[in-house]
Amino acid sequence: MKKKILLIILIGTIFTFWIYQENKNNNIYFVALGDGLATGMTAYYVEGYNYNDYIRDYFESNQQLEKYISNFAKTDQTVENLITCIENNYRLEETNLTIQQALAKAKIITIGIGMDELMNLSLKQNIPSKDIEDYKKDMEKLLKIIRNFNNNEIYLIGLYKGYNLKDDTVLEINNALKEIANQNQIIFIDISDFPDKNQYYLLNTSYYINYKGHKEIANRILSSIY
């Protein structure tokens, strides 16, 4: 009788483990944060398909997606704006979901922010060093806050050159972002090579990338996941 009971328990344990293995990746709660890069803003100032959408499609096609939250990403959002949204626990009117709830539930978070903010500053020809330092300090604060809400996978997309943002400035900022990301166990996605690829842009007068560029970002993130 004892052997029979042990056998039933063993079978039950194996079955439970099998169900867990089958379903452990089928509940990806995916949250996208950022500015115009994250929303897919185009050279024609119309939001298009972005790297987050391509990642969502991948999870959906593999029946892994539980939820995709992208409404916290806003074109022209600054790092300081996003920090304020998190600290004030901004709520989406259409779903009543707060940003802190979304961050806490997320299995995967992508962060693509800084392009709008720095490109707007670069229109001054030379970005004041104080503005660059303020941006780096804000990014450090932002990543620490997000990490406090979530212990899962977080991906930070770096910057690329545009307008009057110089190569050495991009390198300096990206190096700082990498260091901050490493300190917070966040994966840094380097896209600094994008200006060298003309096929990623629709217009020479805009720093916004096209769907090919967004597909490439999605591929780089997915390569880091798998």
Side-chain angles (χ1 to χ4, degrees):
M1 186 66 179
K2 288 183 178 179
K3 288 183 178 180
K4 195 172 183 179
I5 293 172
L6 288 173
L7 181 61
I8 292 171
I9 292 172
L10 179 61
I11 292 171
T13 302
I14 293 172
F15 184 66
T16 301
F17 180 75
W18 177 79
I19 291 175
Y20 169 75
Q21 290 296 319
E22 286 293 305
N23 292 286
K24 68 177 182 178
N25 290 322
N26 295 342
N27 61 343
I28 293 177
Y29 196 103
F30 174 28
V31 175
L33 303 174
D35 57 16
L37 183 65
T39 65
M41 181 56 68
T42 68
Y44 301 108
Y45 296 98
V46 176
E47 291 180 1
Y49 232 63
N50 61 70
Y51 61 89
N52 293 302
D53 295 330
Y54 287 115
I55 295 170
R56 173 205 59 197
D57 290 350
Y58 177 86
F59 291 146
E60 280 186 337
S61 66
N62 287 279
Q63 299 181 327
Q64 294 176 297
L65 187 69
E66 176 186 342
K67 194 80 173 177
Y68 172 50
I69 306 295
S70 61
N71 293 16
F72 294 115
K74 307 285 184 183
T75 298
D76 286 327
Q77 181 167 230
T78 67
V79 180
E80 188 176 9
N81 291 156
L82 183 52
I83 290 171
T84 300
C85 283
I86 298 173
E87 290 180 337
N88 293 339
N89 203 16
Y90 176 77
R91 185 183 300 273
L92 297 175
E93 291 183 8
E94 58 271 28
T95 62
N96 212 33
L97 177 71
T98 69
I99 191 168
Q100 291 182 14
Q101 289 172 330
L103 292 176
K105 291 180 68 173
K107 284 287 185 69
I108 290 176
I109 298 172
T110 60
I111 308 167
I113 193 166
M115 290 303 299
D116 285 344
E117 182 173 352
L118 291 173
M119 290 306 126
N120 289 334
L121 287 171
S122 76
L123 293 174
K124 301 176 182 178
Q125 294 295 323
N126 292 311
I127 304 178
S129 57
K130 181 183 182 302
D131 288 340
I132 293 174
E133 290 305 311
D134 286 345
Y135 169 76
K136 289 190 288 187
K137 288 177 183 177
D138 286 343
M139 283 300 298
E140 183 173 13
K141 182 177 180 180
L142 174 67
L143 297 186
K144 285 181 178 178
I145 290 172
I146 293 174
R147 181 48 89 193
N148 284 338
F149 282 99
N150 191 286
N151 290 320
N152 294 316
E153 298 296 331
I154 301 175
Y155 298 85
L156 173 66
I157 294 91
L159 306 178
Y160 54 87
K161 187 178 71 169
Y163 290 162
N164 296 305
L165 198 61
K166 298 179 180 178
D167 285 328
D168 56 347
T169 304
V170 172
L171 180 62
E172 174 197 341
I173 295 172
N174 277 336
N175 284 339
L177 293 180
K178 286 179 191 176
E179 184 176 346
I180 298 166
N182 288 335
Q183 290 170 357
N184 291 278
Q185 290 77 53
I186 290 170
I187 299 169
F188 180 81
I189 305 297
D190 190 354
I191 58 170
S192 58
D193 60 315
F194 272 33
D196 301 326
K197 303 180 186 300
N198 291 331
Q199 70 269 29
Y200 291 167
Y201 300 87
L202 289 173
L203 297 175
N204 293 331
T205 54
S206 174
Y207 63 88
Y208 284 124
I209 55 177
N210 62 21
Y211 75 95
K212 292 180 181 178
H214 283 284
K215 271 189 174 180
E216 178 59 24
I217 295 176
N219 289 337
R220 293 185 188 189
I221 293 173
L222 288 170
S223 295
S224 294
I225 295 174
Y226 297 102

